[in-house]
Amino acid sequence: MNKIAFIIGTTLLFISCKEKVSSEAEINSEKVTSEKIEIEPTQPEETEIWEPIPAKVNPNGNNGAPSDAIILFDGTNFDEWISAVDSTEVKWTLNPDGSMTVKDKTGDIQTKQNFGSVQLHLEWRSNPENKQTNQNRSNSGVFFQNRYEVQILDNNNNPTYVNGMVSSIYKQSPPLVMAAVPTGEWNTYDIIFHAPEFDAEGNKTKSATLTVLLNGVLTQDHFELEGTTEYIGWPKNDAHGPAPIKLQDHRDMSGVSYRNIWVREL
Ligand code: MG
């Protein structure tokens, strides 16, 4: 009996010592790690990172777009687009100059492809013949994931609510500045959109963000969206995944035109 007790006791002592040694080793390892981080490098090479090497992109390698861009519209066809109303072919007008124009009351158009986070480039032009006021003068817009609108509007001598101005994030964020060119000239939008994230229960865990440059001028600086950009009511935050990019037919004879649309997936 004493012999059995001795064996059990010795075994327990051995396990206990082993755990202690292991735990001390972990502590020492953490100390070493933490000391390494705390010691400031004294040689330039110590803070150099050589890999992985970023992929090479030719900025003008794809008909004027970056070589890794997806061309959504190059002026020759609507192949990348469908009607957002009924998924039939686009009924907007394809112009001889390589642009397209919203055809009134035919509805929004959207990409066939779904997208998450993207860098988008597009060019748009307001309609000089459109002399309406407020939100009815050359109103269109680009929606990310079919839900989040960056406003397009002719605001030259045309006041409106500031969170509905050109380059606003509709009903959420006025532009930092009004950087549109004169009515009828081509504007460029370069937009970085980061998609929102949701957990398995459908709760939002990360808000979408938008950074917008209008004609090279920063108008939205990494704005964190409150949810969808609603015409009436509060922003919504229902869970969703990748979704199309949409261009708006505001149904008011807007006459807005588009050209050179490309996107890079992030
Ligand atoms: Mg709009």
Side-chain angles (χ1 to χ4, degrees), residues 11 41 71 91 96 99 104 136 138 151-152 194 196 238 251 265:
T11 307
I71 307 293
K91 294 163 191 73
S99 66
D104 196 49
N136 288 340
S138 291
Q151 175 72 301
I152 285 173
H194 283 281
D238 295 333
R251 296 174 175 272
E265 295 182 294

Side-chain angles (χ1 to χ4, degrees), residues 12 21 30 43 79 90 92 104 143 150 186 190 208 218 230 244:
L12 286 174
V21 168
E30 279 174 16
Q43 298 302 315
D79 288 358
V90 171
W92 291 15
D104 196 49
F143 288 74
V150 175
W186 284 99
D190 288 285
L218 185 70
E230 300 290 330

Side-chain angles (χ1 to χ4, degrees), residues 201-219:
E201 282 73 47
N203 303 306
K204 189 170 78 172
T205 54
K206 196 174 179 185
S207 295
T209 60
L210 274 162
T211 297
V212 180
L213 290 101
L214 173 57
N215 301 313
V217 178
L218 185 70
T219 54

Side-chain angles (χ1 to χ4, degrees), residues 139-141 149 151-152 248 250:
N139 189 331
S140 186
E149 182 185 13
Q151 175 72 301
I152 285 173
Q248 185 182 42
H250 198 253

